[in-house]
Amino acid sequence: MMALAAYACDPQASRGRRHPEPSAPTRNAFQRDRDRIVHSTAFRRLVYKTQVFLNHEGDLFRTRLTHSLEVAQLGRSLARALGLHEDLVEAIALAHDLGHTPFGHAGQDALNECMATHGGFEHNLQSLRVVDGLEERYPQFDGLNLCFETREGILKHCSKRHAQALEAHEPGGVAARFLVNGQPSLEAQLCNIADEMAYNAHDIDDGVRSGLISMAQLSEVPLFDNYRLQVQAAFPDLSGRRLLYESIRRMLSDQVYDVLHATQSALQQHAPGSVQAVRQLPPLVQFSAEMKAQSTQLKSFLLHQLYRHPQVLQTTEWAKQVVRELFQAYLDNPHAMPEGHASRADLPRAVADYIAGMTDRFASREHARLTGVPNPA
Ligand code: MG
């Protein structure tokens, strides 16, 4: 690992764990967090959770697990080049989607609607709930008891209302920055941008492979098409998957260097001397203005052509129905859930936690079991 920069998070200067623990003899605090995340139940479930395509639609599409691994890979590369803490970036990247419901955004939207009068549902907040409380592995505490810096990175977005509620439990804690418009560490900022880079790239790949979008359609997206033209000029006979992969590879690679340059110049300009200084500055991990605009264009293309493709919307509708009906079924009959959930004082929240933890196929099976309606897939 390259020497840590002054503005990086240092595990020895961590703001600590909620339940103090002796340090580990051979691992730094962020490595230990990463290891706890990898061993968690929520992490293993990511393999059967939808990213864009429902888990049963094909074996080669990204799942939340492979997405998280790609974010970790990009994040670590960037962290190393910027002198940031790679282990912390990896821990945040691997945990960032732990709170996602089954069936991707459709599942989360449905669950949020079900919880509208019970405090709502946000997947970022849920990721934090998973590592702070829902994982049951240790004798002395609930959750994984992660470091402040890892938790800070996991809580990527948070509404004012939820931030106030968190702040009441943990004054000056991970939600405080949402009340004062502060920034998280550079490692956390880096994970956000690595997340965006990863899904833009892999959704092109999955989108084309699924047949829902075509290379011809992608010619309206300059960020992608410039690389395709470049690749075709260098390899005139190339077509199909190799053309797609090489174009995506070049796009990702240029984005990595773009982030490095733009971030390095922001760091030079602001010269933060510590992570505390970073938290009070504007966001520093960034694309150049030009790359940002192109990335936004690509996102908008994916939104309209892929995420809102009629075939995707059709499965989306079904997924929402499954979540809504499951929610109602458990409210009506709490004992259809495991005892630990059924006996909780706040029943709607217990139901939301239970459903959010489900894999796509477990949710489908439970739905069929409780409603008698067979799963169409
Ligand atoms: Mg993500």
Side-chain angles (χ1 to χ4, degrees):
M1 184 184 283
M2 169 180 161
L4 269 192
Y7 44 71
C9 283
D10 177 353
Q12 295 202 307
S14 168
R15 286 174 58 177
R17 304 176 187 280
R18 294 197 299 170
H19 306 276
E21 292 182 67
S23 56
T26 58
R27 293 174 297 165
N28 70 57
F30 301 149
Q31 268 180 293
R32 201 178 189 188
D33 281 3
R34 189 261 330 271
D35 297 348
R36 287 182 178 191
I37 290 159
V38 168
H39 288 278
S40 71
T41 308
F43 185 73
R44 285 195 300 282
R45 288 180 176 141
L46 293 176
V47 72
Y48 293 116
K49 286 193 177 194
T50 287
Q51 183 70 23
V52 173
F53 294 91
L54 294 191
N55 198 272
H56 61 256
E57 288 177 303
D59 289 348
L60 291 180
F61 296 123
R62 266 68 174 188
T63 65
R64 293 256 170 232
L65 180 67
T66 55
H67 163 71
S68 301
L69 294 173
E70 290 182 32
V71 176
Q73 180 276 319
L74 283 167
R76 288 186 53 180
S77 281
L78 289 163
R80 187 179 291 227
L82 290 168
L84 298 175
H85 206 291
E86 268 185 72
D87 296 325
L88 176 58
V89 166
E90 189 179 18
I92 297 170
L94 294 179
H96 85 283
D97 273 352
L98 289 179
H100 265 287
T101 60
F103 312 125
H105 280 278
Q108 121 135 348
D109 290 348
L111 200 50
N112 189 31
E113 283 162 28
C114 295
M115 289 295 287
T117 56
H118 311 287
F121 180 89
E122 287 179 15
H123 67 86
N124 280 295
L125 198 56
Q126 192 67 11
S127 297
L128 188 68
R129 287 173 59 73
V130 167
V131 300
D132 277 0
L134 295 175
E135 280 287 322
E136 297 176 318
R137 313 190 69 80
Y138 297 92
Q140 313 93 319
F141 46 75
D142 287 335
L144 304 179
N145 197 31
L146 303 180
C147 295
F148 175 90
E149 293 75 11
T150 309
R151 298 173 56 240
E152 172 191 48
I154 291 172
L155 193 62
K156 171 164 120 179
H157 301 295
C158 184
S159 65
K160 278 254 150 59
R161 187 167 53 94
H162 285 137
Q164 280 157 350
L166 284 172
E167 180 68 11
H169 283 281
E170 186 190 357
V174 287
R177 72 182 169 94
F178 297 99
L179 301 172
V180 297
N181 286 323
Q183 298 304 318
S185 70
L186 293 169
E187 285 83 353
Q189 295 180 32
L190 197 156
C191 283
N192 293 347
I193 216 159
D195 187 21
E196 177 178 337
M197 287 160 65
Y199 66 67
N200 279 338
H202 64 52
D203 289 349
I204 294 179
D205 180 2
D206 284 353
V208 172
R209 193 140 30 74
S210 68
L212 297 188
I213 56 177
S214 65
M215 295 281 269
Q217 271 177 301
L218 278 161
S219 65
E220 64 183 79
V221 184
L223 181 60
F224 178 81
D225 204 49
N226 290 341
Y227 299 104
R228 183 194 54 87
L229 292 170
Q230 226 184 62
V231 174
Q232 283 194 314
F235 304 97
D237 297 333
L238 206 61
S239 65
R241 296 216 174 141
R242 285 197 203 216
L243 172 60
L244 176 68
Y245 293 151
E246 181 62 11
S247 308
I248 293 175
R249 194 190 66 75
R250 289 183 185 212
M251 179 182 90
L252 261 182
S253 168
D254 266 15
Q255 288 193 317
V256 165
Y257 293 112
D258 183 90
V259 169
L260 287 180
H261 289 139
T263 303
Q264 271 154 351
S265 66
L267 284 167
Q268 252 160 28
Q269 189 195 333
H270 292 279
S274 68
V275 61
Q276 271 322 317
V278 165
R279 291 187 175 114
Q280 283 152 31
L281 288 167
L284 300 181
V285 179
Q286 53 192 272
F287 284 129
S288 65
E290 192 193 341
M291 185 62 87
K292 171 97 198 146
Q294 292 200 332
S295 174
T296 304
Q297 235 177 346
L298 169 57
K299 275 186 180 160
S300 152
F301 171 86
L302 289 169
L303 175 67
H304 292 101
Q305 305 302 328
L306 182 61
Y307 312 145
R308 291 188 187 157
H309 189 286
Q311 211 170 307
V312 172
L313 290 182
Q314 207 184 340
T315 53
T316 296
E317 272 318 302
W318 175 77
K320 285 185 173 175
Q321 190 187 333
V322 167
V323 168
R324 281 194 293 263
E325 292 180 0
L326 272 180
F327 189 84
Q328 196 54 50
Y330 293 128
L331 273 193
D332 295 345
N333 180 14
H335 292 284
M337 296 189 292
E339 199 39 49
H341 291 272
S343 60
R344 275 171 50 186
D346 182 346
L347 182 60
R349 184 58 61 189
V351 171
D353 285 341
Y354 186 49
I355 293 176
M358 292 179 179
T359 61
D360 292 11
R361 59 185 188 174
F362 182 76
S364 298
R365 277 204 304 264
E366 273 293 277
H367 179 258
R369 178 177 79 87
L370 293 169
T371 63
V373 177
N375 174 355

